[in-house]
Amino acid sequence: MRSRSLTRWHQAPLGSLFASMLLPLVCAAAPKLGQEPLPELTVTVTSRFNTQGRLPKNLRDYLARHPNVRLKQWEGIRLPQEGARASLAMAMAANIGADIFETDIRQAVAQGLAYPLTEWIGQDGILANGQPKLTPDGTPDRNGQIDADESKWPGWMHIKPFLRQAGTVDGIPYSLPIGDGTYVGILYSKSMIRKAGLDPEKPPMTWEEFIHWARLLYIHETKTPAVELIPASWAFAPWVATAGSSIVVQDRVSPTTGKPHTFNEQATDLRVPETGEDLSRVMPKWRCNVAHPDAVAAVGFYHRLRWAPWIVDPENSAPLELSPEEAQQGKAERQGRTITFNPTDVIEGCVGVTNQRFTEMLTRFGRSLAMHPLWASDMTQFETLGVQADDLGMFPFPAMNGQLRPVLQNSACFFMIGKDVRTRGGSTDEEHKAYRDIVWNIMTRICAKEGSDESIRRKVAAGQAKFLNPRDLERLGLDDYLREFPPENLQTWARIEAGQIQEVIEPFMGRWLQFRDFYQREVVDRVLRPSGREFDYAEALRQLERDANRGIMFERPPEVLDKHRPRARVIAVIVAVIMLTFLVLIIRDQVKRGASLAGVHKGWMPWLLMAPALLSIGIWKYYPLLRGLVMAFQDYKIAGKTVFVGLNNFIAIALDPNFYHYIWTTFRFVFWNLILAFFTPIILAFLLTEIPRLKIFFRTLFFLPQMTSGLVVTLMWKEMFEGTASGTLNRLLSFFLGNFGFQPVDWLGSASTVMACVIVPGVWAHAGMGSLIYLAALKSVPDELYEAASIDGAGILRRIWAIALPTIAPLIMINFVGSFIHAFQNMANIFLLTFGGPGKETMVMGMAIWQEAYVNLRFSLATSYAWILGSILISFTYLQLRILRRVDFRQAKGD
């Protein structure tokens, strides 16, 4: 008994002991009984929010409560220029896009890329409880925005009204801004301001005062301005607001008087000034307004800053603006006195132009740079670049006159939820909904102020409170630190609070991100370029406004397209018949039996060997061709609903004046390409044939550029074509022609030189290779013919004309047709050198197709352009095939 009891005592408690030890471990490692383990979820966000950096506490806490959720940086294919937006769009078309992303809001909505936020925020016309919102007479009460009684999310009404307006499309919310955004204003160096005898506590508030400051800051020792501008639309847009105008406006027709009234894009008070009638319930018509006199005046102010001549008054050292006539005559009348001066005393413009990266530009602040438009949340963000935060200040863009308000532009970044959240997170509707809620919770924490508040508190603890936004310090209860603030900083923020400074954002209606590229290239950049003195910006703005309201920014109304539809059908039938005729001729020529098929294998083996090539050509050539033909008759959406629109795309193109400009520019480009690029190798080949010595050396010398990357060649020439005095070509010409009054040439900015400049790099790089091909062909000319011609007294030119050229004429014809077709499609150098500029001077069809597809994301319009170009080229393709059938290929013999 005792032994048995002892055994039980040793056995049973020992098992219980192990069980008691393992049970907590098992319970911690395994889910509760009957509960599935939580799935691992990865939420992706695009580059504006760096997941590799320090996450705000609110987001860290959320991820800690949800250990199965991971936040990851989304990276897509990198495309140059504005094509970066196409990378995100194509990823979403393949259902591999980001969960949280930023891009142009209305473009994303139009393409079906963004998921509406109605399930969390609400919808216009629907109360927060889900009931319809009605007016007293029972009609739907809608105003295009989410009001307080419609909002289901408390945080919505804490967002600034103009930011809510920008993030809402047709009464549906699609995006949230990150915090309150940063501000774009005029950064200035306090030390340089004081050195010029100016008071940094009293910054310029009008255009005249700004010009006065810019001239006083001019560095006469180096003859360089201390104020620099950048040729970017986002930096110019605030100046339009300072003139009291708006790049986009809304027209609302009064239901009582039938009279239209125009309001600025960001206007929230939509009452008629004369009658007080509220037009907020009236549907607006949006349009581009850049040709309005006030908007033109803003560009004129830029032109004046850049080009107006002035001198330093010898009597009082004050800057004195001159008329062009006074600058030419060398004298001016002012207040009853005559001021004479030498031509060398005249200074043209008081601002410089820079394309430097802002990191490089900031390193010059306080030394050679005194003022520059740039964004800033606080001055400490520039300390890592070697800039003294104590020396930096920011003031708003000065107003056109004393009756208008200066402007600060809110540079807000908006985040949206990607359309792919509909199907992520699992296989059931409940799992999809749970995943969407997770993405929404993460996005609200990314966009919340808590993240920036954390950074503010860290900077305050580091003794940097005086460089921050006093609004934020007051909000966080850190008012005591306001005593450390420089007076000029406090003054700026006090004026914002008092409404003395207008706060605006970049335009958001229409396709602003597409339009701003045109605005920059066709107007802003051309005014500031070295060739911009005589630029007619008023006419350019009129054309740009017309183009913006006819497709670039706002689509043509359907009734306009319908009016031209009958004529379009007739033209479409004629073009289709012509194309089918050429297609039949090409197929007939290719399938026609030859004179003899002796020795030709007729089994299945040749077809088997050709199958991979045929399959590859079919997939990568003919399928896109046929798919593009279908897209040309659709309103193609990357992820949204694609509808058939018939000839709408072709009608819109035919009604667009830009189309005819693109065609004309393409033919000009082809013409000069053939003149410069096609005939150069032929001439070079004859020269290399006739040269008496060092033939191998010269052939090698001309062939070497072919071994260099085309990208490197183009970028090297871009540096050589720099339009300032520091450009390689300008320095070289100045060295030889400086004594003859040579002035730097804006090679890529002048309409008279840019076409040749985009062609020359290709000629330099490829002429050597082409000349070797013609050299090989010239070896087929019998030496006896040359000897006989020499005996008859024929010179070099006669031998070339009568013997060499007839011999290689078939090769020249083949290359001519091929070069002609290639020139129509070529745009590589234009893409890298000018991107279609200046203005539209180099906007060929190939460049227009790329821009419509990968910048504007209008693939249907791009394929329509491509088919028009293909219709033009099909006859030349038929001609090329006819020539190839008649050519007899032989082996050339020579040393």
Side-chain angles (χ1 to χ4, degrees):
M1 276 298 290
R2 184 179 178 184
S3 173
R4 186 178 299 171
S5 299
L6 184 61
T7 303
R8 289 177 180 173
W9 184 87
H10 279 291
Q11 291 175 347
L14 188 61
S16 300
L17 179 64
F18 276 110
S20 64
M21 293 174 62
L22 291 174
L23 185 60
L25 298 176
V26 172
C27 291
K32 294 181 181 179
L33 186 63
Q35 183 177 349
E36 293 291 331
L38 293 174
E40 292 291 330
L41 300 175
T42 299
V43 177
T44 54
V45 59
T46 50
S47 58
R48 284 292 181 95
F49 184 77
N50 184 9
T51 60
Q52 306 304 317
R54 183 182 176 89
L55 299 180
K57 184 176 184 302
N58 62 342
L59 188 53
R60 296 198 306 271
D61 292 343
Y62 180 83
L63 294 177
R65 294 194 304 270
H66 300 80
N68 63 315
V69 178
R70 187 165 68 98
L71 190 60
K72 180 183 177 183
Q73 186 86 35
W74 183 88
E75 293 290 347
I77 301 172
R78 296 186 180 274
L79 293 177
Q81 300 285 349
E82 297 292 339
R85 294 195 294 275
S87 173
L88 175 68
M90 289 187 292
M92 288 195 169
N95 300 322
I96 55 173
D99 293 307
I100 304 172
F101 70 98
E102 84 283 348
T103 188
D104 179 38
I105 298 170
R106 278 149 183 82
Q107 186 184 66
V109 172
Q111 293 293 335
L113 307 182
Y115 184 81
L117 307 181
T118 52
E119 62 187 87
W120 303 286
I121 295 177
Q123 184 175 348
D124 180 35
I126 305 296
L127 295 171
N129 59 11
Q131 298 298 316
K133 183 179 180 181
L134 304 175
T135 60
D137 60 0
T139 59
D141 188 355
R142 298 191 183 98
N143 60 359
Q145 296 298 313
I146 314 299
D147 299 323
D149 57 351
E150 298 167 332
S151 173
K152 297 186 290 186
W153 178 54
W156 180 250
M157 299 311 295
H158 293 296
I159 300 173
K160 294 179 179 179
F162 61 87
L163 297 179
R164 297 201 304 266
Q165 185 183 21
T168 305
V169 181
D170 296 331
I172 298 175
Y174 280 95
S175 63
L176 296 179
I178 298 181
D180 284 334
T182 59
Y183 288 100
V184 177
I186 307 292
L187 284 185
Y188 66 96
S189 165
K190 298 176 184 178
S191 60
M192 292 191 71
I193 297 298
R194 294 190 182 98
K195 185 178 178 181
L198 299 167
D199 187 355
E201 295 186 26
K202 297 178 181 178
M205 290 293 108
T206 65
W207 288 359
E208 291 299 328
E209 293 176 4
F210 184 83
I211 287 182
H212 184 71
W213 270 45
R215 288 169 178 166
L216 289 177
L217 289 165
Y218 187 86
I219 305 173
H220 294 276
E221 294 79 8
T222 58
K223 296 184 178 181
T224 56
V227 180
E228 289 184 348
L229 304 175
I230 51 177
S233 295
W234 63 264
F236 175 74
W239 291 105
V240 179
T242 66
S245 186
S246 178
I247 290 175
V248 174
V249 294
Q250 47 181 316
D251 293 329
R252 295 176 183 257
V253 179
S254 168
T256 57
T257 64
K259 182 180 178 181
H261 298 273
T262 300
F263 301 90
N264 284 348
E265 180 188 36
Q266 299 171 34
T268 54
D269 184 0
L270 300 174
R271 288 174 296 181
V272 180
E274 297 81 9
T275 63
E277 182 184 11
D278 186 3
L279 301 182
S280 60
R281 306 294 177 186
V282 177
M283 291 298 295
K285 178 182 179 182
W286 301 90
R287 59 181 174 85
C288 183
N289 189 53
V290 293
H292 187 275
D294 291 337
V296 175
V299 180
F301 175 65
Y302 248 41
H303 189 273
R304 185 179 167 198
L305 284 170
R306 181 73 172 90
W307 297 110
W310 60 283
I311 61 170
V312 176
D313 193 326
E315 184 173 305
N316 53 25
S317 299
L320 181 66
E321 185 169 332
L322 306 171
S323 67
E325 294 76 17
E326 290 173 335
Q328 188 174 11
Q329 293 171 2
K331 65 178 181 179
E333 299 286 340
R334 294 292 186 276
Q335 297 178 347
R337 61 190 179 97
T338 301
I339 305 171
T340 59
F341 49 87
N342 295 321
T344 55
D345 296 331
V346 178
I347 304 169
E348 192 173 56
C350 56
V351 298
V353 183
T354 180
N355 284 301
Q356 281 184 311
R357 294 172 59 89
F358 80 93
T359 53
E360 300 170 0
M361 178 272 302
L362 281 172
T363 59
R364 299 188 289 112
F365 248 105
R367 290 184 284 273
S368 61
L369 185 60
M371 294 196 301
H372 183 80
L374 196 64
W375 48 263
S377 56
D378 60 69
M379 301 308 161
T380 61
Q381 64 192 108
F382 303 128
E383 283 189 317
T384 57
L385 303 174
V387 181
Q388 295 297 322
D390 284 319
D391 189 43
L392 280 183
M394 185 172 74
F395 62 84
F397 292 88
M400 180 170 64
N401 53 51
Q403 286 71 47
L404 296 171
R405 289 182 294 170
V407 169
L408 274 176
Q409 179 167 286
N410 190 309
S411 182
C413 173
F414 290 85
F415 269 137
M416 289 166 277
I417 293 180
K419 56 92 180 175
D420 294 330
V421 296
R422 291 185 176 94
T423 56
R424 289 178 177 170
S427 56
T428 66
D429 292 341
E430 291 78 11
E431 290 171 327
H432 297 160
K433 169 61 177 170
Y435 186 81
R436 291 198 303 272
D437 287 338
I438 290 173
V439 174
W440 162 254
N441 285 318
I442 289 178
M443 187 173 80
T444 55
R445 284 162 173 78
I446 287 175
C447 296
K449 293 181 180 179
E450 281 83 352
S452 59
D453 290 349
E454 255 187 83
S455 175
I456 290 169
R457 290 190 175 94
R458 287 198 304 271
K459 291 176 180 179
V460 169
Q464 298 174 327
K466 63 182 179 180
F467 307 123
L468 304 176
N469 184 340
R471 279 179 169 179
D472 294 327
L473 297 182
E474 292 170 352
R475 179 171 52 82
L476 297 175
L478 302 171
D479 310 61
D480 292 342
Y481 291 95
L482 297 180
R483 294 191 299 269
E484 303 176 12
F485 264 71
E488 56 270 18
N489 291 15
L490 279 177
Q491 184 185 26
T492 297
W493 294 111
R495 296 184 68 205
I496 295 175
E497 292 289 352
Q500 298 173 3
I501 295 176
Q502 183 182 1
E503 190 175 349
V504 301
I505 59 175
E506 284 191 65
F508 53 85
M509 289 303 300
R511 288 185 288 268
W512 161 246
L513 285 188
Q514 296 90 303
F515 174 76
R516 76 176 186 181
D517 178 63
F518 288 87
Y519 197 30
Q520 174 177 317
R521 187 175 63 239
E522 297 183 19
V523 179
V524 180
D525 180 58
R526 297 191 71 177
V527 166
L528 298 178
R529 274 191 171 274
S531 57
R533 184 190 296 103
E534 307 300 328
F535 173 55
D536 187 356
Y537 55 85
E539 176 59 26
L541 286 168
R542 283 192 290 271
Q543 293 183 10
L544 186 61
E545 181 180 294
R546 176 203 64 194
D547 296 344
N549 292 321
R550 294 181 179 179
I552 295 178
M553 203 170 192
F554 298 100
E555 299 289 356
R556 291 176 182 270
E559 55 269 20
V560 175
L561 301 179
D562 291 339
K563 185 172 65 174
H564 298 273
R565 199 175 305 280
R567 188 188 310 169
R569 289 170 180 158
V570 174
I571 296 174
V573 170
I574 294 173
V575 172
V577 169
I578 294 173
M579 290 187 66
L580 286 173
T581 301
F582 277 112
L583 186 62
V584 169
L585 291 174
I586 291 171
I587 295 174
R588 188 190 66 181
D589 287 350
Q590 296 304 306
V591 301
K592 188 181 295 183
R593 290 178 60 88
S596 173
L597 295 177
V600 176
H601 185 75
K602 300 180 182 178
W604 52 267
M605 183 58 68
W607 293 101
L608 180 63
L609 295 174
M610 287 193 303
L614 292 174
L615 184 63
S616 177
I617 293 172
I619 292 175
W620 300 110
K621 291 291 185 181
Y622 288 99
Y623 173 74
L625 191 69
L626 296 175
R627 185 70 184 90
L629 178 60
V630 175
M631 287 172 60
F633 296 95
Q634 295 176 327
D635 181 14
Y636 179 79
K637 306 295 184 184
I638 294 173
K641 183 180 180 181
T642 297
V643 296
F644 183 80
V645 295
L647 296 172
N648 280 11
N649 294 316
F650 295 98
I651 297 172
I653 290 174
L655 295 177
D656 184 4
N658 284 322
F659 166 67
Y660 303 100
H661 178 84
Y662 298 158
I663 289 288
W664 170 242
T665 303
T666 302
F667 274 101
R668 285 177 52 228
F669 176 72
V670 170
F671 174 78
W672 286 110
N673 221 308
L674 294 176
I675 294 295
L676 297 175
F678 177 73
F679 293 108
T680 298
I682 300 174
I683 297 171
L684 184 59
F686 284 118
L687 293 176
L688 292 175
T689 300
E690 299 296 334
I691 194 170
R693 300 182 184 87
L694 301 176
K695 290 186 177 183
I696 301 300
F697 169 76
F698 283 108
R699 291 176 186 178
T700 305
L701 184 67
F702 284 108
F703 182 75
L704 281 178
Q706 182 73 35
M707 307 300 292
T708 309
S709 166
L711 176 65
V712 173
V713 168
T714 305
L715 294 179
M716 178 186 72
W717 277 91
K718 186 173 185 177
E719 191 279 331
M720 294 174 65
F721 286 138
E722 173 64 39
T724 63
S726 61
T728 303
L729 281 180
N730 281 334
R731 278 188 292 153
L732 184 64
L733 291 173
S734 180
F735 178 79
F736 290 106
L737 304 175
N739 294 331
F740 299 94
F742 173 78
Q743 295 295 322
V745 178
D746 187 13
W747 299 98
L748 295 176
S750 173
S752 59
T753 59
V754 67
M755 189 60 75
C757 290
V758 297
I759 295 172
V760 165
V763 177
W764 179 83
H766 304 301
M769 182 66 179
S771 66
L772 291 183
I773 295 174
Y774 288 113
L775 276 172
L778 289 171
K779 290 296 182 182
S780 64
V781 181
D783 293 336
E784 294 82 1
L785 292 179
Y786 285 129
E787 293 173 1
S790 298
I791 293 172
D792 290 340
I796 293 178
L797 294 179
R798 182 63 179 172
R799 293 199 301 270
I800 291 174
W801 181 260
I803 299 174
L805 276 177
T807 304
I808 65 171
L811 178 61
I812 293 176
M813 280 301 300
I814 293 171
N815 284 346
F816 178 82
V817 177
S819 298
F820 188 87
I821 295 174
H822 176 71
F824 264 98
Q825 301 170 334
N826 184 27
M827 62 141 193
N829 285 353
I830 293 175
F831 184 90
L832 293 171
L833 292 175
T834 65
F835 205 69
K840 296 188 286 279
E841 291 297 326
T842 56
M843 184 61 72
V844 295
M845 286 287 285
M847 190 70 234
I849 291 169
W850 194 95
Q851 181 160 280
E852 286 296 341
Y854 297 108
V855 177
N856 299 346
L857 301 184
R858 297 193 291 185
F859 289 95
S860 291
L861 212 60
T863 53
S864 301
Y865 270 121
W867 271 98
I868 292 172
L869 183 62
S871 302
I872 296 172
L873 295 179
I874 190 169
S875 59
F876 293 99
T877 302
Y878 175 70
L879 177 63
Q880 183 185 35
L881 294 173
R882 296 282 295 181
I883 292 172
L884 286 174
R885 290 182 68 249
R886 298 175 183 176
V887 174
D888 180 21
F889 294 95
R890 292 174 296 170
Q891 181 179 2
K893 297 181 180 180
D895 36 89

